[in-house]
Structure formats: C-alpha cells, structure tokens
Amino acid sequence: MKVVVLGAGVVGSATAYMLAKDGYDVTVIDRCGRPGMETSFANGGLMTPSDASPWNSPGTVKRLGKMLFDSSSPLKINPGAVPSMVGWGFRFLANSTYDRHKSNMIAIIRLASLSLDTLRSIRETTRINYDQTTRGTMRVFPRGGRKSEFVQKCRDMQGWGVQFETLDQGQILEKEPCLGPVIDRYAGAVFFPNDESGDAHKFTNEMARLATELGAEFLMNTSVLRIDKASSTKISHVVTSQGDIRADAFVLSLGSYSPFLARPLGIKLPILPVKGYSVTVALNGWRGGPTRPVMDDGYHAMMVPMGDRLRMGGRAEFARYNTRVDAKEGWRVLNDVLKILPALASHIDADAVLNWSGLRPMTPGGPPLVGPTLYTNLFLNTGHGPLGWTMACGSAKLITDFITHGRVLNNRVDSANYAL
Ligand SMILES: Cc1cc2nc3c(=O)[nH]c(=O)nc-3n(C[C@H](O)[C@H](O)[C@H](O)COP(=O)(O)OP(=O)(O)OC[C@H]3O[C@@H](n4cnc5c(N)ncnc54)[C@H](O)[C@@H]3O)c2cc1C
C-alpha cells in the first residue's frame, strides 16, 4: 500500500519512519532541499512532557493584556496579524476555562509521554545520535516570581505522570554550578527528571535516513500545489511542481502551511503560525555552561546544551507568515541569557552565531490534529504548536494505527482529543 506524506519536518519524517517500519511503500514530498529545514530546523530542542500546559491557562489569559503592552514581554502581537487572528482567537479564549485547559493539558501529556517512550525505544534499537541530553530539565524562579503557582501546576500534572522535584539554591548549584554567580536571584527551581532534549533537525534527518533505509523515498525540492479528490470522500492524487503523485493514502504534515492545502477540500484547519526565535552559539570546547536545559522563568529565557553548542530562545509573536529573522530579537534572546550566564560572553564567536526564526503551527486548544478526515484516505498529522518535536513520535504512531487499523490501538491516549 502506497502512502504519501506531505511535509518532511519532524512530524512528517517521524511518520514516514513509522510507516516504512510497518511495511508501507512511503513517499515524502517537501519543498526544501533537505528534511527539517523549516520549523523543525532550530527549535528549542526540548523534549518536554512537563511543558504540556497550553498557553491559554486561565491565569495567562488574565495577564494577556498586560503582556501585550509590556516591551519586555515574551509575547507580541503584530497589528497586521490581528484580522487573521479573530476566529482563532475566540477559540483560544474559549479553551482557557479551567476544565478545557485541564483536559487539553492531559491530552498533551499523554501524547508527549507516549512520544518520549517511542523515541527512547527507537534510540535504543537504532543508536541514533542527535546531540541529546537525558538529564532532565530545570526551571529556575526569581525571588518574588511565580514559583508557588508553577509548583501547583506541577502537582496537577503529577497526577498524569509528570514527575518533578523542587530544588533550593544549594540543590540548584549541585546540578548546575554555572548558575553560581547569579544564584542569589533565585527563590528555587523545579526539576523534571524525565525530560530530554536534543537537536530536532538532526533527529528529523535521522528519521529520514532510517525511513530511506527501509525503502521510503524523499522527493525534495518539490512543492505540493494542490490535493485533488476522486470523489466527495476520496483523494486521488497530489499535484506537485514535479507532476502528479498518486497513492492509496495521504498524510498532511505541512506544519503552519497545512491549512492552505486543506481549505480547497472543504477542510478548515484552525492553525495559526506563531513566530519564535532561537540563537545558537558554538562553544568551541567551553564547558562552563549548563549540562541540561535550564529555563529562567523571570527572563523567559532558556539555555539548551546541544553537543558543543548552546541554543537559546524564548519569544512568541503573532506575525502571520513572516519568517524574517529579526537580528534585534535574536540579540534580546542572547542578552537575557547573558544575564544568567555572564561567562558565556567571552566565548561567543560573533561570526558563528545562528540567528533563526520559525513558525509554530498552533491550534487554539493546544493538542495537535491527528487522525482521519471526511476523505477516507486523507489523514491529518499537524498543528503541533510549541511541542512538535516532543509529540512527533507519538503522533506518528497514532497515524500509523489509523491507516492500518482505522483506529488507535494504544489505550494510553484517547484519539478523540486530537480530532478536528
Ligand atoms: C522558536 C521555536 C522553538 C520551539 N521549541 C520547541 C521545543 O523546544 N520542543 C518542541 O517539541 N517543539 C518546539 N517548537 C515547535 C516545533 O518546532 C514545531 O511544532 C515542529 O517543528 C513542527 O513540525 P512540523 O513537521 O509539523 O512542521 P515543519 O517542521 O514546519 O515541517 C513542515 C514541512 O512542510 C514543508 N512544506 C510546507 N508547505 C509545503 C508545500 N506546499 N509543498 C511542499 N512542502 C511544504 C516545509 O518545507 C516543511 O519542511 C518550537 C518552535 C519554535 C518556532
């Protein structure tokens, strides 16, 4: 049976691997020259079920107004993006009630945990390397910050399998001595022992390599122009810049661009691009930084070690499909990190700094769209928002189940939570 996967980001490439492993004849189509060149290129690299709380928690919505007018806020709305946000924005707010937020959070935790287990078993059997760390993640809180509120959220998540420990200053330093010069800033930290991290771009390319070894074909530099239907319930082929491609089943994994291909088929996908920035610096052997991802809740800054590099990030902007890399934003990210890790300054090679931006494909509730559509042979695996890598292997597994069995076999997740 031939399956065409549209998109070779982390989601499409993981899907291709899972399908190829199960014996499908897989073709992946992507407009870039290599897999993982758009949003999966230089994301935060966090593999964190602990980050499952959707952005529209009741508390966040109350703070939204203040955040939008605060120049140091991690969230910005570009006025030009407002008209495109109206319908999506109402749904975002509708999902911010206590009950909706909680059920979305549980759906994300379950998929993310399945994903992490799946990734670990892939890693064990294939020995892939993607500059991973498996030492947990740590979130540090400044004095007067929102540590107690966050710990309460962690207690809620603990009921669904997210383990955490609270740390005092001494325990923070035992784990991350590099925070010594600024330790007096902190009231404490929360440590998540099960979280991991790594380079999502390398991981995506490893997925593509393994899928190719199993017989999958990656058609790169090929744009998908249209999806054509044979009838009101069946897709016949996709029209691409390299000609028509037929298959028995199709998986839509085009990240923030999925809505453009779905809309002509009568499928409205509630996905909005949310821009984010990252900055990556080469460490050239310097060992003075963190040994695991550290997030500073006060500066909204994160530091993620990736082999001999350090990745930093921490902003979100509604700016439609603008992917322009704004060097000013990049420097803001870097400056926030330098307040936490001043020693980094003398190790930065200004000519080797990677300033990057990408578009998170966000749904209003948080969980991605994974499952069937009104066309019997078209499946969605898209809208993974700020946790696309974290959920990619899990949602690839669900889609493979849908294509093979018509339903999800794994009883850890309720597929209704990811339905359109
Ligand atoms: C700043 C930032 C930090 C992030 N940090 C994290 C993190 O720490 N952990 C985490 O889990 N997630 C993180 N994310 C989110 C994560 O990166 C995304 O959810 C994930 O990359 C989405 O993967 P995808 O495969 O759906 O989309 P993409 O990676 O964008 O892949 C879609 C693919 O479709 C292709 N495509 C699109 N349109 C067409 C077309 N018409 N024809 C052919 N090809 C097409 C593109 O070339 C692309 O390769 C972050 C995102 C950002 C922006």
Side-chain angles (χ1 to χ4, degrees), residues 119-120 122-134 196-207 209-210 305-309 389:
L119 173 129
R120 284 175 177 149
I122 294 173
R123 194 169 61 211
E124 214 159 275
T125 49
T126 63
R127 303 271 153 213
I128 52 170
N129 190 305
Y130 46 92
D131 290 342
Q132 64 266 34
T133 64
T134 55
E196 298 193 357
S197 67
D199 184 332
H201 174 68
K202 282 192 178 174
F203 179 79
T204 303
N205 279 274
E206 284 297 79
M207 288 291 96
R209 178 181 64 79
L210 293 171
M306 278 182 196
D308 196 27
R309 296 166 298 154
W389 184 27

PDB file of all heavy atoms in Angstrom, residues 119-120 122-134 196-207 209-210 305-309 389:
ATOM      1  N   LEU A 119      10.291   7.405  21.267  1.00  0.00           N
ATOM      2  CA  LEU A 119      11.615   7.891  20.872  1.00  0.00           C
ATOM      3  C   LEU A 119      12.718   7.089  21.574  1.00  0.00           C
ATOM      4  O   LEU A 119      13.717   6.713  20.964  1.00  0.00           O
ATOM      5  CB  LEU A 119      11.740   9.373  21.215  1.00  0.00           C
ATOM      6  CG  LEU A 119      13.135   9.950  20.992  1.00  0.00           C
ATOM      7  CD1 LEU A 119      13.065  11.212  20.161  1.00  0.00           C
ATOM      8  CD2 LEU A 119      13.827  10.246  22.291  1.00  0.00           C
ATOM      9  N   ARG A 120      12.502   6.814  22.866  1.00  0.00           N
ATOM     10  CA  ARG A 120      13.542   6.060  23.595  1.00  0.00           C
ATOM     11  C   ARG A 120      13.722   4.676  22.988  1.00  0.00           C
ATOM     12  O   ARG A 120      14.837   4.180  22.874  1.00  0.00           O
ATOM     13  CB  ARG A 120      13.163   5.950  25.074  1.00  0.00           C
ATOM     14  CG  ARG A 120      13.403   7.255  25.810  1.00  0.00           C
ATOM     15  CD  ARG A 120      12.921   7.197  27.241  1.00  0.00           C
ATOM     16  NE  ARG A 120      13.235   8.447  27.925  1.00  0.00           N
ATOM     17  CZ  ARG A 120      12.516   8.971  28.906  1.00  0.00           C
ATOM     18  NH1 ARG A 120      11.430   8.362  29.337  1.00  0.00           N
ATOM     19  NH2 ARG A 120      12.872  10.103  29.469  1.00  0.00           N
ATOM     20  N   ILE A 122      13.117   3.838  19.874  1.00  0.00           N
ATOM     21  CA  ILE A 122      13.797   3.995  18.570  1.00  0.00           C
ATOM     22  C   ILE A 122      15.300   4.179  18.819  1.00  0.00           C
ATOM     23  O   ILE A 122      16.147   3.580  18.163  1.00  0.00           O
ATOM     24  CB  ILE A 122      13.248   5.227  17.798  1.00  0.00           C
ATOM     25  CG1 ILE A 122      11.790   5.025  17.398  1.00  0.00           C
ATOM     26  CG2 ILE A 122      14.105   5.521  16.561  1.00  0.00           C
ATOM     27  CD1 ILE A 122      11.124   6.260  16.789  1.00  0.00           C
ATOM     28  N   ARG A 123      15.622   5.013  19.827  1.00  0.00           N
ATOM     29  CA  ARG A 123      17.037   5.302  20.107  1.00  0.00           C
ATOM     30  C   ARG A 123      17.773   4.033  20.525  1.00  0.00           C
ATOM     31  O   ARG A 123      18.899   3.788  20.117  1.00  0.00           O
ATOM     32  CB  ARG A 123      17.109   6.349  21.216  1.00  0.00           C
ATOM     33  CG  ARG A 123      18.472   6.976  21.377  1.00  0.00           C
ATOM     34  CD  ARG A 123      18.409   8.175  22.290  1.00  0.00           C
ATOM     35  NE  ARG A 123      17.961   7.836  23.624  1.00  0.00           N
ATOM     36  CZ  ARG A 123      17.268   8.666  24.415  1.00  0.00           C
ATOM     37  NH1 ARG A 123      16.942   9.866  23.991  1.00  0.00           N
ATOM     38  NH2 ARG A 123      16.902   8.295  25.613  1.00  0.00           N
ATOM     39  N   GLU A 124      17.086   3.226  21.322  1.00  0.00           N
ATOM     40  CA  GLU A 124      17.727   2.002  21.798  1.00  0.00           C
ATOM     41  C   GLU A 124      18.004   1.033  20.648  1.00  0.00           C
ATOM     42  O   GLU A 124      19.073   0.438  20.575  1.00  0.00           O
ATOM     43  CB  GLU A 124      16.794   1.327  22.798  1.00  0.00           C
ATOM     44  CG  GLU A 124      17.520   0.619  23.905  1.00  0.00           C
ATOM     45  CD  GLU A 124      16.576   0.453  25.081  1.00  0.00           C
ATOM     46  OE1 GLU A 124      16.467   1.392  25.905  1.00  0.00           O
ATOM     47  OE2 GLU A 124      15.931  -0.600  25.125  1.00  0.00           O
ATOM     48  N   THR A 125      17.030   0.921  19.737  1.00  0.00           N
ATOM     49  CA  THR A 125      17.220  -0.076  18.674  1.00  0.00           C
ATOM     50  C   THR A 125      18.099   0.441  17.538  1.00  0.00           C
ATOM     51  O   THR A 125      18.764  -0.345  16.875  1.00  0.00           O
ATOM     52  CB  THR A 125      15.874  -0.553  18.078  1.00  0.00           C
ATOM     53  OG1 THR A 125      15.104   0.589  17.768  1.00  0.00           O
ATOM     54  CG2 THR A 125      15.104  -1.438  19.013  1.00  0.00           C
ATOM     55  N   THR A 126      18.101   1.758  17.310  1.00  0.00           N
ATOM     56  CA  THR A 126      18.848   2.255  16.138  1.00  0.00           C
ATOM     57  C   THR A 126      20.155   2.955  16.512  1.00  0.00           C
ATOM     58  O   THR A 126      20.974   3.222  15.641  1.00  0.00           O
ATOM     59  CB  THR A 126      17.996   3.275  15.353  1.00  0.00           C
ATOM     60  OG1 THR A 126      17.744   4.396  16.205  1.00  0.00           O
ATOM     61  CG2 THR A 126      16.687   2.676  14.886  1.00  0.00           C
ATOM     62  N   ARG A 127      20.308   3.312  17.814  1.00  0.00           N
ATOM     63  CA  ARG A 127      21.527   4.001  18.281  1.00  0.00           C
ATOM     64  C   ARG A 127      21.715   5.361  17.608  1.00  0.00           C
ATOM     65  O   ARG A 127      22.851   5.795  17.384  1.00  0.00           O
ATOM     66  CB  ARG A 127      22.785   3.150  18.039  1.00  0.00           C
ATOM     67  CG  ARG A 127      22.734   1.797  18.675  1.00  0.00           C
ATOM     68  CD  ARG A 127      23.279   1.852  20.089  1.00  0.00           C
ATOM     69  NE  ARG A 127      22.680   0.810  20.901  1.00  0.00           N
ATOM     70  CZ  ARG A 127      22.426   0.908  22.197  1.00  0.00           C
ATOM     71  NH1 ARG A 127      22.700   2.004  22.839  1.00  0.00           N
ATOM     72  NH2 ARG A 127      21.892  -0.070  22.875  1.00  0.00           N
ATOM     73  N   ILE A 128      20.640   6.020  17.232  1.00  0.00           N
ATOM     74  CA  ILE A 128      20.793   7.332  16.588  1.00  0.00           C
ATOM     75  C   ILE A 128      21.325   8.352  17.595  1.00  0.00           C
ATOM     76  O   ILE A 128      21.094   8.242  18.794  1.00  0.00           O
ATOM     77  CB  ILE A 128      19.470   7.866  15.981  1.00  0.00           C
ATOM     78  CG1 ILE A 128      18.332   7.834  16.999  1.00  0.00           C
ATOM     79  CG2 ILE A 128      19.118   7.125  14.721  1.00  0.00           C
ATOM     80  CD1 ILE A 128      17.088   8.559  16.533  1.00  0.00           C
ATOM     81  N   ASN A 129      22.018   9.341  17.038  1.00  0.00           N
ATOM     82  CA  ASN A 129      22.568  10.404  17.868  1.00  0.00           C
ATOM     83  C   ASN A 129      22.099  11.736  17.303  1.00  0.00           C
ATOM     84  O   ASN A 129      22.172  11.962  16.101  1.00  0.00           O
ATOM     85  CB  ASN A 129      24.100  10.318  17.841  1.00  0.00           C
ATOM     86  CG  ASN A 129      24.703  11.249  18.867  1.00  0.00           C
ATOM     87  OD1 ASN A 129      24.416  12.451  18.867  1.00  0.00           O
ATOM     88  ND2 ASN A 129      25.517  10.715  19.745  1.00  0.00           N
ATOM     89  N   TYR A 130      21.598  12.582  18.176  1.00  0.00           N
ATOM     90  CA  TYR A 130      21.129  13.899  17.717  1.00  0.00           C
ATOM     91  C   TYR A 130      21.466  14.951  18.776  1.00  0.00           C
ATOM     92  O   TYR A 130      20.675  15.831  19.052  1.00  0.00           O
ATOM     93  CB  TYR A 130      19.615  13.846  17.402  1.00  0.00           C
ATOM     94  CG  TYR A 130      18.804  13.146  18.479  1.00  0.00           C
ATOM     95  CD1 TYR A 130      18.237  13.872  19.516  1.00  0.00           C
ATOM     96  CD2 TYR A 130      18.653  11.764  18.483  1.00  0.00           C
ATOM     97  CE1 TYR A 130      17.525  13.252  20.519  1.00  0.00           C
ATOM     98  CE2 TYR A 130      17.948  11.128  19.492  1.00  0.00           C
ATOM     99  CZ  TYR A 130      17.392  11.877  20.496  1.00  0.00           C
ATOM    100  OH  TYR A 130      16.697  11.250  21.513  1.00  0.00           O
ATOM    101  N   ASP A 131      22.673  14.817  19.349  1.00  0.00           N
ATOM    102  CA  ASP A 131      23.150  15.730  20.407  1.00  0.00           C
ATOM    103  C   ASP A 131      22.175  15.777  21.573  1.00  0.00           C
ATOM    104  O   ASP A 131      21.882  16.840  22.140  1.00  0.00           O
ATOM    105  CB  ASP A 131      23.367  17.152  19.852  1.00  0.00           C
ATOM    106  CG  ASP A 131      24.564  17.214  18.918  1.00  0.00           C
ATOM    107  OD1 ASP A 131      25.399  16.288  18.975  1.00  0.00           O
ATOM    108  OD2 ASP A 131      24.650  18.173  18.137  1.00  0.00           O
ATOM    109  N   GLN A 132      21.684  14.603  21.950  1.00  0.00           N
ATOM    110  CA  GLN A 132      20.673  14.566  23.001  1.00  0.00           C
ATOM    111  C   GLN A 132      21.271  14.712  24.399  1.00  0.00           C
ATOM    112  O   GLN A 132      22.429  14.370  24.617  1.00  0.00           O
ATOM    113  CB  GLN A 132      19.867  13.250  22.928  1.00  0.00           C
ATOM    114  CG  GLN A 132      20.652  11.991  23.189  1.00  0.00           C
ATOM    115  CD  GLN A 132      21.175  11.355  21.909  1.00  0.00           C
ATOM    116  OE1 GLN A 132      21.518  12.039  20.966  1.00  0.00           O
ATOM    117  NE2 GLN A 132      21.254  10.045  21.890  1.00  0.00           N
ATOM    118  N   THR A 133      20.459  15.241  25.331  1.00  0.00           N
ATOM    119  CA  THR A 133      20.777  15.131  26.757  1.00  0.00           C
ATOM    120  C   THR A 133      19.601  14.409  27.399  1.00  0.00           C
ATOM    121  O   THR A 133      18.452  14.606  27.006  1.00  0.00           O
ATOM    122  CB  THR A 133      20.956  16.500  27.458  1.00  0.00           C
ATOM    123  OG1 THR A 133      19.717  17.202  27.422  1.00  0.00           O
ATOM    124  CG2 THR A 133      22.037  17.340  26.829  1.00  0.00           C
ATOM    125  N   THR A 134      19.912  13.576  28.372  1.00  0.00           N
ATOM    126  CA  THR A 134      18.861  12.780  29.029  1.00  0.00           C
ATOM    127  C   THR A 134      18.967  12.983  30.543  1.00  0.00           C
ATOM    128  O   THR A 134      18.809  12.052  31.312  1.00  0.00           O
ATOM    129  CB  THR A 134      19.019  11.285  28.663  1.00  0.00           C
ATOM    130  OG1 THR A 134      20.351  10.890  29.003  1.00  0.00           O
ATOM    131  CG2 THR A 134      18.796  11.029  27.190  1.00  0.00           C
ATOM    132  N   GLU A 196      13.881  15.376  28.252  1.00  0.00           N
ATOM    133  CA  GLU A 196      15.112  15.229  27.469  1.00  0.00           C
ATOM    134  C   GLU A 196      15.254  16.428  26.533  1.00  0.00           C
ATOM    135  O   GLU A 196      14.380  17.303  26.495  1.00  0.00           O
ATOM    136  CB  GLU A 196      15.063  13.938  26.637  1.00  0.00           C
ATOM    137  CG  GLU A 196      14.958  12.682  27.475  1.00  0.00           C
ATOM    138  CD  GLU A 196      15.217  11.411  26.670  1.00  0.00           C
ATOM    139  OE1 GLU A 196      15.432  11.503  25.447  1.00  0.00           O
ATOM    140  OE2 GLU A 196      15.204  10.335  27.294  1.00  0.00           O
ATOM    141  N   SER A 197      16.326  16.430  25.765  1.00  0.00           N
ATOM    142  CA  SER A 197      16.487  17.484  24.757  1.00  0.00           C
ATOM    143  C   SER A 197      17.422  16.984  23.661  1.00  0.00           C
ATOM    144  O   SER A 197      18.013  15.905  23.780  1.00  0.00           O
ATOM    145  CB  SER A 197      17.063  18.756  25.387  1.00  0.00           C
ATOM    146  OG  SER A 197      18.390  18.512  25.798  1.00  0.00           O
ATOM    147  N   GLY A 198      17.556  17.778  22.623  1.00  0.00           N
ATOM    148  CA  GLY A 198      18.450  17.406  21.523  1.00  0.00           C
ATOM    149  C   GLY A 198      18.196  18.302  20.328  1.00  0.00           C
ATOM    150  O   GLY A 198      17.420  19.261  20.407  1.00  0.00           O
ATOM    151  N   ASP A 199      18.855  17.982  19.238  1.00  0.00           N
ATOM    152  CA  ASP A 199      18.735  18.793  18.030  1.00  0.00           C
ATOM    153  C   ASP A 199      17.646  18.186  17.137  1.00  0.00           C
ATOM    154  O   ASP A 199      17.835  17.115  16.547  1.00  0.00           O
ATOM    155  CB  ASP A 199      20.099  18.805  17.319  1.00  0.00           C
ATOM    156  CG  ASP A 199      20.096  19.706  16.099  1.00  0.00           C
ATOM    157  OD1 ASP A 199      19.021  19.889  15.491  1.00  0.00           O
ATOM    158  OD2 ASP A 199      21.174  20.221  15.751  1.00  0.00           O
ATOM    159  N   ALA A 200      16.515  18.893  17.039  1.00  0.00           N
ATOM    160  CA  ALA A 200      15.372  18.355  16.286  1.00  0.00           C
ATOM    161  C   ALA A 200      15.700  18.203  14.798  1.00  0.00           C
ATOM    162  O   ALA A 200      15.192  17.298  14.133  1.00  0.00           O
ATOM    163  CB  ALA A 200      14.159  19.266  16.457  1.00  0.00           C
ATOM    164  N   HIS A 201      16.547  19.083  14.285  1.00  0.00           N
ATOM    165  CA  HIS A 201      16.914  18.992  12.864  1.00  0.00           C
ATOM    166  C   HIS A 201      17.713  17.710  12.605  1.00  0.00           C
ATOM    167  O   HIS A 201      17.443  16.967  11.659  1.00  0.00           O
ATOM    168  CB  HIS A 201      17.729  20.227  12.474  1.00  0.00           C
ATOM    169  CG  HIS A 201      18.282  20.160  11.088  1.00  0.00           C
ATOM    170  ND1 HIS A 201      17.490  20.203   9.971  1.00  0.00           N
ATOM    171  CD2 HIS A 201      19.557  20.024  10.644  1.00  0.00           C
ATOM    172  CE1 HIS A 201      18.244  20.111   8.897  1.00  0.00           C
ATOM    173  NE2 HIS A 201      19.502  19.992   9.272  1.00  0.00           N
ATOM    174  N   LYS A 202      18.684  17.450  13.489  1.00  0.00           N
ATOM    175  CA  LYS A 202      19.463  16.210  13.327  1.00  0.00           C
ATOM    176  C   LYS A 202      18.545  15.000  13.473  1.00  0.00           C
ATOM    177  O   LYS A 202      18.654  14.029  12.732  1.00  0.00           O
ATOM    178  CB  LYS A 202      20.571  16.131  14.385  1.00  0.00           C
ATOM    179  CG  LYS A 202      21.769  16.991  14.079  1.00  0.00           C
ATOM    180  CD  LYS A 202      22.934  16.652  14.995  1.00  0.00           C
ATOM    181  CE  LYS A 202      24.140  17.510  14.629  1.00  0.00           C
ATOM    182  NZ  LYS A 202      25.259  17.350  15.541  1.00  0.00           N
ATOM    183  N   PHE A 203      17.644  15.078  14.451  1.00  0.00           N
ATOM    184  CA  PHE A 203      16.725  13.959  14.677  1.00  0.00           C
ATOM    185  C   PHE A 203      15.860  13.722  13.429  1.00  0.00           C
ATOM    186  O   PHE A 203      15.677  12.587  12.989  1.00  0.00           O
ATOM    187  CB  PHE A 203      15.839  14.259  15.893  1.00  0.00           C
ATOM    188  CG  PHE A 203      14.846  13.176  16.175  1.00  0.00           C
ATOM    189  CD1 PHE A 203      15.233  12.016  16.828  1.00  0.00           C
ATOM    190  CD2 PHE A 203      13.526  13.297  15.770  1.00  0.00           C
ATOM    191  CE1 PHE A 203      14.316  10.996  17.072  1.00  0.00           C
ATOM    192  CE2 PHE A 203      12.607  12.291  16.010  1.00  0.00           C
ATOM    193  CZ  PHE A 203      13.001  11.138  16.663  1.00  0.00           C
ATOM    194  N   THR A 204      15.350  14.813  12.862  1.00  0.00           N
ATOM    195  CA  THR A 204      14.499  14.705  11.667  1.00  0.00           C
ATOM    196  C   THR A 204      15.269  14.009  10.541  1.00  0.00           C
ATOM    197  O   THR A 204      14.745  13.124   9.852  1.00  0.00           O
ATOM    198  CB  THR A 204      14.062  16.120  11.210  1.00  0.00           C
ATOM    199  OG1 THR A 204      13.398  16.747  12.302  1.00  0.00           O
ATOM    200  CG2 THR A 204      13.139  16.069  10.016  1.00  0.00           C
ATOM    201  N   ASN A 205      16.524  14.398  10.374  1.00  0.00           N
ATOM    202  CA  ASN A 205      17.316  13.794   9.302  1.00  0.00           C
ATOM    203  C   ASN A 205      17.658  12.337   9.599  1.00  0.00           C
ATOM    204  O   ASN A 205      17.784  11.528   8.678  1.00  0.00           O
ATOM    205  CB  ASN A 205      18.559  14.646   9.022  1.00  0.00           C
ATOM    206  CG  ASN A 205      18.182  15.822   8.129  1.00  0.00           C
ATOM    207  OD1 ASN A 205      18.161  15.701   6.908  1.00  0.00           O
ATOM    208  ND2 ASN A 205      17.798  16.932   8.731  1.00  0.00           N
ATOM    209  N   GLU A 206      17.784  12.002  10.878  1.00  0.00           N
ATOM    210  CA  GLU A 206      17.986  10.594  11.235  1.00  0.00           C
ATOM    211  C   GLU A 206      16.728   9.784  10.922  1.00  0.00           C
ATOM    212  O   GLU A 206      16.805   8.664  10.415  1.00  0.00           O
ATOM    213  CB  GLU A 206      18.344  10.461  12.725  1.00  0.00           C
ATOM    214  CG  GLU A 206      19.775  10.843  13.043  1.00  0.00           C
ATOM    215  CD  GLU A 206      20.776   9.930  12.347  1.00  0.00           C
ATOM    216  OE1 GLU A 206      21.024  10.136  11.139  1.00  0.00           O
ATOM    217  OE2 GLU A 206      21.295   9.014  12.991  1.00  0.00           O
ATOM    218  N   MET A 207      15.558  10.378  11.212  1.00  0.00           N
ATOM    219  CA  MET A 207      14.299   9.692  10.877  1.00  0.00           C
ATOM    220  C   MET A 207      14.216   9.453   9.366  1.00  0.00           C
ATOM    221  O   MET A 207      13.828   8.386   8.904  1.00  0.00           O
ATOM    222  CB  MET A 207      13.092  10.535  11.322  1.00  0.00           C
ATOM    223  CG  MET A 207      12.857  10.605  12.809  1.00  0.00           C
ATOM    224  SD  MET A 207      12.306   9.034  13.501  1.00  0.00           S
ATOM    225  CE  MET A 207      13.831   8.379  14.069  1.00  0.00           C
ATOM    226  N   ARG A 209      16.709   9.297   7.255  1.00  0.00           N
ATOM    227  CA  ARG A 209      17.711   8.302   6.826  1.00  0.00           C
ATOM    228  C   ARG A 209      17.207   6.881   7.114  1.00  0.00           C
ATOM    229  O   ARG A 209      17.261   6.000   6.253  1.00  0.00           O
ATOM    230  CB  ARG A 209      19.037   8.545   7.580  1.00  0.00           C
ATOM    231  CG  ARG A 209      20.131   7.546   7.243  1.00  0.00           C
ATOM    232  CD  ARG A 209      21.410   7.810   8.020  1.00  0.00           C
ATOM    233  NE  ARG A 209      21.298   7.654   9.460  1.00  0.00           N
ATOM    234  CZ  ARG A 209      21.314   6.488  10.115  1.00  0.00           C
ATOM    235  NH1 ARG A 209      21.438   5.354   9.440  1.00  0.00           N
ATOM    236  NH2 ARG A 209      21.215   6.449  11.432  1.00  0.00           N
ATOM    237  N   LEU A 210      16.669   6.688   8.326  1.00  0.00           N
ATOM    238  CA  LEU A 210      16.190   5.347   8.688  1.00  0.00           C
ATOM    239  C   LEU A 210      15.009   4.938   7.804  1.00  0.00           C
ATOM    240  O   LEU A 210      14.897   3.786   7.380  1.00  0.00           O
ATOM    241  CB  LEU A 210      15.769   5.310  10.162  1.00  0.00           C
ATOM    242  CG  LEU A 210      16.902   5.474  11.181  1.00  0.00           C
ATOM    243  CD1 LEU A 210      16.334   5.642  12.590  1.00  0.00           C
ATOM    244  CD2 LEU A 210      17.852   4.283  11.139  1.00  0.00           C
ATOM    245  N   PRO A 305      21.879  22.946  26.101  1.00  0.00           N
ATOM    246  CA  PRO A 305      23.148  22.464  25.543  1.00  0.00           C
ATOM    247  C   PRO A 305      22.882  21.431  24.451  1.00  0.00           C
ATOM    248  O   PRO A 305      22.028  20.562  24.613  1.00  0.00           O
ATOM    249  CB  PRO A 305      23.845  21.817  26.750  1.00  0.00           C
ATOM    250  CG  PRO A 305      22.770  21.522  27.737  1.00  0.00           C
ATOM    251  CD  PRO A 305      21.618  22.440  27.455  1.00  0.00           C
ATOM    252  N   MET A 306      23.585  21.576  23.313  1.00  0.00           N
ATOM    253  CA  MET A 306      23.439  20.628  22.191  1.00  0.00           C
ATOM    254  C   MET A 306      24.822  20.279  21.694  1.00  0.00           C
ATOM    255  O   MET A 306      25.393  21.005  20.867  1.00  0.00           O
ATOM    256  CB  MET A 306      22.667  21.273  21.037  1.00  0.00           C
ATOM    257  CG  MET A 306      21.193  21.243  21.209  1.00  0.00           C
ATOM    258  SD  MET A 306      20.346  21.966  19.809  1.00  0.00           S
ATOM    259  CE  MET A 306      18.751  22.190  20.568  1.00  0.00           C
ATOM    260  N   GLY A 307      25.396  19.225  22.214  1.00  0.00           N
ATOM    261  CA  GLY A 307      26.761  18.890  21.827  1.00  0.00           C
ATOM    262  C   GLY A 307      27.674  20.041  22.213  1.00  0.00           C
ATOM    263  O   GLY A 307      27.655  20.516  23.350  1.00  0.00           O
ATOM    264  N   ASP A 308      28.423  20.542  21.236  1.00  0.00           N
ATOM    265  CA  ASP A 308      29.353  21.640  21.508  1.00  0.00           C
ATOM    266  C   ASP A 308      28.712  22.996  21.187  1.00  0.00           C
ATOM    267  O   ASP A 308      29.401  23.941  20.824  1.00  0.00           O
ATOM    268  CB  ASP A 308      30.630  21.429  20.672  1.00  0.00           C
ATOM    269  CG  ASP A 308      31.772  22.288  21.195  1.00  0.00           C
ATOM    270  OD1 ASP A 308      31.777  22.607  22.403  1.00  0.00           O
ATOM    271  OD2 ASP A 308      32.648  22.665  20.391  1.00  0.00           O
ATOM    272  N   ARG A 309      27.385  23.058  21.290  1.00  0.00           N
ATOM    273  CA  ARG A 309      26.677  24.319  21.029  1.00  0.00           C
ATOM    274  C   ARG A 309      25.721  24.603  22.184  1.00  0.00           C
ATOM    275  O   ARG A 309      25.359  23.702  22.939  1.00  0.00           O
ATOM    276  CB  ARG A 309      25.853  24.208  19.730  1.00  0.00           C
ATOM    277  CG  ARG A 309      26.688  24.008  18.475  1.00  0.00           C
ATOM    278  CD  ARG A 309      25.802  23.576  17.319  1.00  0.00           C
ATOM    279  NE  ARG A 309      25.156  22.299  17.600  1.00  0.00           N
ATOM    280  CZ  ARG A 309      24.005  21.900  17.066  1.00  0.00           C
ATOM    281  NH1 ARG A 309      23.363  22.663  16.223  1.00  0.00           N
ATOM    282  NH2 ARG A 309      23.494  20.723  17.372  1.00  0.00           N
ATOM    283  N   TRP A 389       8.216  18.639  18.314  1.00  0.00           N
ATOM    284  CA  TRP A 389       9.183  17.546  18.402  1.00  0.00           C
ATOM    285  C   TRP A 389       8.795  16.605  19.539  1.00  0.00           C
ATOM    286  O   TRP A 389       8.834  15.383  19.419  1.00  0.00           O
ATOM    287  CB  TRP A 389      10.600  18.088  18.597  1.00  0.00           C
ATOM    288  CG  TRP A 389      11.599  16.990  18.583  1.00  0.00           C
ATOM    289  CD1 TRP A 389      11.459  15.789  17.934  1.00  0.00           C
ATOM    290  CD2 TRP A 389      12.844  16.948  19.240  1.00  0.00           C
ATOM    291  NE1 TRP A 389      12.560  15.014  18.143  1.00  0.00           N
ATOM    292  CE2 TRP A 389      13.426  15.713  18.948  1.00  0.00           C
ATOM    293  CE3 TRP A 389      13.527  17.859  20.046  1.00  0.00           C
ATOM    294  CZ2 TRP A 389      14.663  15.342  19.429  1.00  0.00           C
ATOM    295  CZ3 TRP A 389      14.767  17.490  20.520  1.00  0.00           C
ATOM    296  CH2 TRP A 389      15.327  16.251  20.218  1.00  0.00           C
TER     297      TRP A 389
END
